[in-house]
Each structure stands twice: as structure tokens, then as C-alpha cells.
Amino acid sequence: LSMESGSLSVTRREKALETAALIAFAAEYGANPVGAVAFDGATGTVFRPRQGRDQVLSILSSLDHKKHAVAGTALGSAIAGASRVLRSRSLVAVISDFRATGYEKALGILARRHDALAIRIASPVDFAHPDAGFVPFVDPETGLRASFATGSAGFREQWERESQESIDRWRHVCARRGVSPLVISTEDDAARNLALFFSTYRPGANNARSYQG
């Protein structure tokens, strides 16, 4: 459910779908097989790698129709599913906001067998929450509720600090497991960010460095 949040104009889910489409069409243009494991917290859909425009369109249609996510996350299971589906070494992009726990082991196993890229979909509000007065918050994954004075200097400082620390912890997880991290904001030009990233990306090399557009 956290993927349904984002900026006023674009949700994380919408930016994730755009990012997936860009990667899929780029692979299809290069005559490479494209596959996917999509999970909305309730049901999963697996597309084994195949070539062709029809395969890409089927994947994107399935992703677009997974709009009614349920509370909780199964990121680790989705990553493990990708490992089971892929037989030969592949480039695997894991697209998520990574607001989850318990996926780290599966991500490490994936990276040992494949060239893994972790794309974290972020939002500007992650780093600078606007002053909106006294606001009730709800954790979309756990249902935990709390209210905070968003105009408080202390709140804003802690919000920004914890957001940055979360990104730093995620980058550390990626680095330890040999995964290349990429942050794309809901306000970013995803095509530009991906082009810049892949301009220096080398499959099989140590790409476990951070890039943020």
C-alpha cells in the first residue's frame, strides 16, 4: 500500500510502472527476452522470459491491473520467485519503495546468480515534509496511527534525518550483497535517470555503487 503514496501528481506505483515499461521496451528493442514477477500482497503473477512485443505488453497490462494492493508486503517472496523462474544469468531490476524488511537474504541470493539492480521509488515528501499543521499519519503496511505537528522544527528535522538514514541503510544492504542501487523520485525523468545509470553500467562488474538522479 505504501506504493500508492507519492507526490500530488504521481504515485510511487505509477512511477514504478513507468520505470518497468522503459526497461522492458529497451530490452525488447535489443531483442532480449523479458520476464517479470509481479506481486500486490495478495496474488502473484509470473512471466517467464520471452522475446517479443506481445510479451512486454502482457507484462505491463498485468502490472497496470494490479491496482488494488492489500496491506503488508511480500517483497522477499517476490524476489525469491524471480530467482526460481530464471535459469540463465540475467539482468534483474527489483522496483519497489523498499519500505519492507525480510527481503535482504533473498536479494543476496538473487545477486549471486544474476546481475541485480535495486530501483527505489522515492517521493520529494520523503526528504522534506511540507508544513500542513497537525496531521494524522497511518503506516499503510502495519496500520499504525499517530499524529504529529508537521510545522514543528523538531518534527521536520527528524523526518528528514530518518528519511536519509533509511536510504543510507538500504544502500548499505545493496552494497553488502553486490546489488546496484538506483533512486528514482516520482518527480524525476525516469528515462533520463535510467539512461545515465546504464551509460556506465557493466554486467558482471562491481556496480554496487549508488546513483541518484
Side-chain angles (χ1 to χ4, degrees):
L1 285 179
S2 60
M3 289 293 284
E4 297 301 326
S5 63
S7 63
L8 293 176
S9 58
V10 182
T11 67
R12 297 173 204 266
R13 190 192 69 80
E14 290 168 337
K15 182 59 69 171
L17 180 58
E18 176 191 350
T19 302
L22 288 166
I23 293 173
F25 280 119
E28 189 263 339
Y29 181 79
N32 295 300
V34 180
V37 175
F39 197 83
D40 60 8
T43 60
T45 305
V46 175
F47 292 87
R48 294 185 179 277
R50 287 175 46 201
Q51 290 182 317
R53 178 63 58 91
D54 288 345
Q55 168 80 341
V56 172
L57 294 178
S58 294
I59 290 172
L60 297 180
S61 177
S62 176
L63 293 175
D64 188 43
H65 282 84
K66 286 187 177 296
K67 294 181 178 179
H68 303 293
V70 301
T73 183
L75 181 57
S77 297
I79 295 172
S83 292
R84 290 192 295 270
V85 168
L86 296 171
R87 300 303 181 190
S88 58
R89 190 170 187 88
S90 306
L91 171 63
V92 184
V94 182
I95 307 173
S96 171
D97 62 3
F98 288 92
R99 294 188 170 191
T101 58
Y103 65 85
E104 297 86 353
K105 181 178 179 180
L107 187 62
I109 293 173
L110 180 74
R112 287 200 294 271
R113 301 173 181 172
H114 306 281
D115 297 308
L117 167 61
I119 302 179
R120 182 168 179 143
I121 305 299
S123 169
V125 76
D126 292 345
F127 306 100
H129 196 287
D131 181 356
F134 202 74
V135 177
F137 288 81
V138 180
D139 186 321
E141 303 295 351
T142 66
L144 181 66
R145 297 173 179 269
S147 296
F148 299 97
T150 60
S152 163
F155 169 83
R156 295 164 72 88
E157 179 181 335
Q158 184 166 349
W159 179 275
E160 293 172 14
R161 181 172 63 250
E162 291 187 356
S163 294
Q164 187 58 56
E165 289 175 353
S166 176
I167 292 284
D168 291 342
R169 288 193 298 271
W170 169 75
R171 286 172 172 158
H172 181 66
V173 166
C174 291
R176 286 188 59 189
R177 288 158 179 80
V179 177
S180 300
L182 171 61
V183 177
I184 296 180
S185 169
T186 56
E187 299 300 303
D188 282 344
D189 180 340
R192 176 181 178 276
N193 282 24
L194 288 168
L196 288 172
F197 177 84
F198 282 109
S199 67
T200 58
Y201 182 86
R202 297 293 179 270
N206 182 14
N207 296 285
R209 56 176 176 71
S210 176
Y211 172 77
Q212 180 170 343

